[in-house]
Amino acid sequence: MSMLQHSTRAWGSPSRYIQGRYELENMKTHTEVYGRRVFFLIDVFFFADYKKRFEALYAGSDSQIQCEQFGGQCTEEEILRCTGLAKALNPDVVVGIGGGKTMDTAKAVADNYNAAVIIVPTTASTDAPAMGLSVIYTAAGEHVGARHYKKNPDLVLLDTDILAKAPIRFLVAGMGDALSTYPECRANVQSASPNYVNSGYHQTIACIAVSKACHETILTKGVSAKLAAEQGLCTKDVEDVIEANTLLSGLGVQNGSCAGAHSIAEGITVLEPCAKLLHGEVVAFGILVQLIVEGAPAEELDELYDFFEEVGLPTTFDDLGIPDATEADIMKVAETSMHSYWDVEPFAVNPQMVFDGIMMANTLGKRRKGL
């Protein structure tokens, strides 16, 4: 347990957050706030379309733009490659458009030029857009660490028409990730563990309030949002869930920190089928495990099991794609998860406790499904 030895509290957040339908059409207005030399780093799936769109949007303006395609992995080599591509432009602002790895690479390039950074997610599956860090991988996809910045993004810009029409699995996975925010914040508050603001400080009242709002928004509006998004609709509930998945969860984790749920998410990827799942899907199962290890009230667990079953988040080994997992497999997950965030729980956690929690989460899930 990493209990803080001081009483200082701190808060970190993006400078601006703008969310709305068709907001991508206002890109030039948004970038001009920060400068006239704009470097766009765009995910491969959107590159051709967005390059054409932005070149038309900026035509005749006094802004200089450069659009480049992201290489696919947030490695030190890719960061250096993209930094080199931007050298002649010497950008005032870097815009990252795509998934988490595209956004994280754009943050690093902006930091290398001391430029403003605008983050534009294309799915509502993660809280990465609001965070002041990049997760770094090897070319083979192995996690090697994180790069922390002195500030969060200058602007997080969401076009909810794009997000509402993305594959529904991403929105649901984002709900799973977002639902970990409050239980993990609560554990860190109880143990006086540091958050992710600079060297780490106590959580603020604002952090706890935002984390609770995130939790309540997902549980009350998540089902309606899924039903609407399945039809490509962008209702008020869809907008609210997108904000919870992206902004509220991002603020909660940076200012609150991770705990058992994310430990399971990292540990369970040692099983090959689970490595193919979306981050929020394995985090969701991790929430169940964390609450069982903590001895949470049955009502709290029941509410989450009910919600997961309704939106399609995993509650059993079958759902995770590991129906034949052995006890040795689960103990390997438990032991691997100990390298993550279990030390922030307000009591000592060991691999046997985690093993028991994983097995019980699956048992409860199977019982509810009548298996």
Side-chain angles (χ1 to χ4, degrees):
M1 189 183 301
S2 49
M3 181 180 290
L4 288 165
Q5 301 302 308
H6 58 76
S7 60
T8 305
R9 61 184 71 182
W11 171 268
S13 64
S15 297
R16 296 288 185 273
Y17 178 91
I18 297 175
Q19 171 186 318
R21 205 167 191 177
Y22 312 124
E23 202 55 48
L24 208 64
E25 296 173 5
N26 299 320
M27 179 63 77
K28 185 167 74 73
T29 300
H30 294 308
T31 60
E32 286 178 347
V33 172
Y34 302 101
R36 293 297 190 271
R37 299 189 303 275
V38 187
F39 182 80
F40 288 95
L41 185 63
I42 306 171
D43 190 280
V44 60
F45 298 108
F46 301 91
F47 179 73
D49 178 39
Y50 284 9
K51 181 176 187 291
K52 183 178 179 181
R53 182 187 298 198
F54 294 143
E55 287 175 346
L57 186 64
Y58 285 84
S61 74
D62 59 353
S63 290
Q64 296 174 261
I65 72 165
Q66 179 180 345
C67 298
E68 298 291 348
Q69 182 175 301
F70 174 56
Q73 189 62 272
C74 185
T75 63
E76 292 292 352
E77 293 77 14
E78 178 66 5
I79 291 168
L80 289 174
R81 183 186 76 86
C82 295
T83 300
L85 291 173
K87 185 175 181 180
L89 181 65
N90 189 25
D92 299 312
V93 55
V94 175
V95 183
I97 305 176
K101 293 178 180 179
T102 307
M103 295 184 285
D104 279 359
T105 303
K107 292 175 191 176
V109 173
D111 186 62
N112 287 346
Y113 283 102
N114 199 28
V117 60
I118 297 176
I119 296 300
V120 185
T122 49
T123 68
S125 64
T126 173
D127 50 27
M131 299 283 285
L133 60 84
S134 297
V135 180
I136 310 298
Y137 297 87
T138 66
E142 298 171 352
H143 174 246
V144 294
R147 181 169 169 178
H148 294 262
Y149 306 111
K150 61 181 177 289
K151 63 181 178 67
N152 295 58
D154 296 276
L155 169 63
V156 177
L157 179 66
L158 279 72
D159 187 323
T160 47
D161 190 65
I162 295 169
L163 301 180
K165 293 176 180 176
I168 197 66
R169 183 182 175 190
F170 290 105
L171 182 69
V172 172
M175 296 184 206
D177 193 24
L179 281 171
S180 72
T181 307
Y182 177 61
E184 293 194 309
C185 174
R186 180 176 63 193
N188 279 275
V189 169
Q190 290 172 351
S191 63
S193 294
N195 62 18
Y196 295 137
V197 180
N198 299 336
S199 59
Y201 296 90
H202 285 278
Q203 293 72 24
T204 59
I205 295 171
C207 173
I208 299 166
V210 164
S211 297
K212 283 183 178 177
C214 178
H215 204 73
E216 292 166 1
T217 299
I218 299 298
L219 289 177
T220 57
K221 301 193 173 190
V223 173
S224 171
K226 184 194 176 194
L227 291 171
E230 284 174 335
Q231 302 178 65
L233 307 177
C234 191
T235 62
K236 175 69 161 51
D237 285 352
V238 171
E239 293 271 5
D240 287 351
V241 166
I242 287 172
E243 181 183 339
N245 283 8
T246 308
L247 179 64
L248 302 185
S249 183
L251 294 175
V253 70
Q254 171 136 31
N255 295 285
S257 190
C258 295
H262 275 80
S263 299
I264 293 297
E266 293 187 4
I268 207 166
T269 56
V270 299
L271 304 182
E272 186 176 349
C274 296
K276 300 173 184 176
L277 296 171
L278 296 178
H279 174 71
E281 293 170 336
V282 287
V283 169
F285 187 78
I287 302 168
L288 303 176
V289 178
Q290 177 184 328
L291 293 180
I292 290 167
V293 170
E294 291 175 344
E299 294 80 7
E300 185 174 3
L301 274 166
D302 286 343
E303 185 176 39
L304 288 173
Y305 272 103
D306 287 344
F307 181 81
F308 286 10
E309 289 161 8
E310 197 154 9
V311 299
L313 286 168
T315 62
T316 66
F317 292 169
D318 279 359
D319 295 338
L320 292 167
I322 52 171
D324 301 320
T326 65
E327 290 191 358
D329 290 332
I330 301 307
M331 182 54 78
K332 185 177 180 182
V333 171
E335 291 171 345
T336 303
S337 78
M338 297 304 299
H339 302 300
S340 297
Y341 316 101
W342 282 115
D343 65 329
V344 308
E345 293 290 335
F347 52 85
V349 176
N350 61 51
Q352 186 63 56
M353 294 166 65
V354 178
F355 172 89
D356 292 349
I358 296 171
M359 297 297 287
M360 191 62 187
N362 175 59
T363 297
L364 291 173
K366 290 174 65 176
R367 181 183 181 191
R368 295 176 65 95
K369 292 176 185 286
L371 299 176

